[in-house]
Amino acid sequence: MTETVAKPAYTRILLKLSGEALMGDDAFGINRDTIDRMVDEIIAVSAMGVELAIVIGGGNIFRGMAGGAAGMDRATADYMGMLATVMNSLALADAISRKNVPARVMSAISIDQVVEPYVRPKALQYLEEGKVVVFAAGTGNPFFTTDTAAALRGAEIGAQMVLKATKVDGVYTADPMKDPTATRYSRISFDEAMVKNLGIMDATAFALCRDQKLPIKVFSIVKPGALQRVVRGEDEGTLVYA
């Protein structure tokens, strides 16, 4: 008897990962077991026929340099953070490629000997070919977060949704770690989230998604199978809609 595989509800998505998600239980850096587990989830979604692009932060790398960055010029610190995202992107793409799924890293800042530059038509071509595309170096500009990069790249590639992967399984009425009575929103509008100041993404990213009517799904990347359930359209995490 042939097993029926559930079809995805989305065909092209942008996954936003925090650098801290790669740390596991480590103080900083990349935990190999953690990245391998995430890659298994990513590959499972790619195997469903979903075109998948990823934006990843650099906080796990930059955290190890935090002491030396104290008092540094903000623009300089942001450029260092961009380089940290390139390191994370290379590590993630390598882990994906080692499991026989093609992955490409495209950088918003020019490092031609390491990664290719971000060019929108080329990124779209890679996605249509079934490759996982990892967008590195944020927007290429200081003062903009990787949340904003995720919203921008998601809009540029025509993603149907931005998936924000966190350690919490959605958006709650209060901090669930501090308030045991907090309840999870299954879905919430952009306007309501703004009124309640829920802090789902930074203001620039949030406004861009709202203006482009690009929905956001907040879910837990540490919850086994959550990414697949989100892509299948199941009630996993919190949907933020226009």
Side-chain angles (χ1 to χ4, degrees), residues 1-73:
M1 183 176 179
T2 304
E3 183 180 353
T4 301
V5 178
K7 292 184 178 180
Y10 309 100
T11 55
R12 180 177 293 172
I13 60 174
L14 189 293
L15 174 63
K16 167 59 170 64
L17 289 171
S18 69
E20 287 80 358
L22 302 182
M23 289 165 38
D25 294 327
D26 298 342
F28 57 86
I30 299 171
N31 181 282
R32 176 51 56 186
D33 291 338
T34 298
I35 196 172
D36 284 343
R37 181 186 58 75
M38 285 186 187
V39 164
D40 287 340
E41 299 264 355
I42 289 167
I43 288 175
V45 167
S46 179
M48 295 166 66
V50 177
E51 295 177 3
L52 178 61
I54 301 171
V55 169
I56 188 165
N60 59 315
I61 303 294
F62 202 66
R63 181 175 296 190
M65 303 182 290
M72 185 178 291
D73 175 76

Side-chain angles (χ1 to χ4, degrees), residues 19 55-63 65 69 72-91 105-111 114-115 134-149 153:
V55 169
I56 188 165
N60 59 315
I61 303 294
F62 202 66
R63 181 175 296 190
M65 303 182 290
M72 185 178 291
D73 175 76
R74 169 65 189 274
T76 299
D78 281 359
Y79 279 118
M80 290 174 65
M82 291 180 214
L83 294 176
T85 72
V86 174
M87 295 168 68
N88 279 339
S89 297
L90 287 169
V105 178
M106 307 187 84
S107 173
I109 57 176
S110 181
I111 321 176
V114 182
V115 290
V134 186
F135 296 126
T139 66
N141 303 286
F143 308 107
F144 290 94
T145 69
T146 48
D147 275 355
T148 300
R153 296 291 181 248

Side-chain angles (χ1 to χ4, degrees), residues 16 24 29 32 34 37 47 57 60-61 76 90 94 96 103 105 133 136 166 184 189 199 209 220 226 235-236 242:
K16 167 59 170 64
R32 176 51 56 186
T34 298
R37 181 186 58 75
N60 59 315
I61 303 294
T76 299
L90 287 169
D94 176 74
I96 294 171
V105 178
V133 181
T166 69
R184 176 178 65 87
S189 70
C209 286
S220 171
D235 182 21
E236 183 71 47

Side-chain angles (χ1 to χ4, degrees), residues 175-196:
D175 187 343
M177 303 299 291
K178 298 177 181 178
D179 184 355
T181 66
T183 57
R184 176 178 65 87
Y185 292 102
S186 176
R187 54 192 289 127
I188 188 170
S189 70
F190 279 100
D191 291 340
E192 186 179 356
M194 290 182 72
V195 168
K196 294 183 177 180

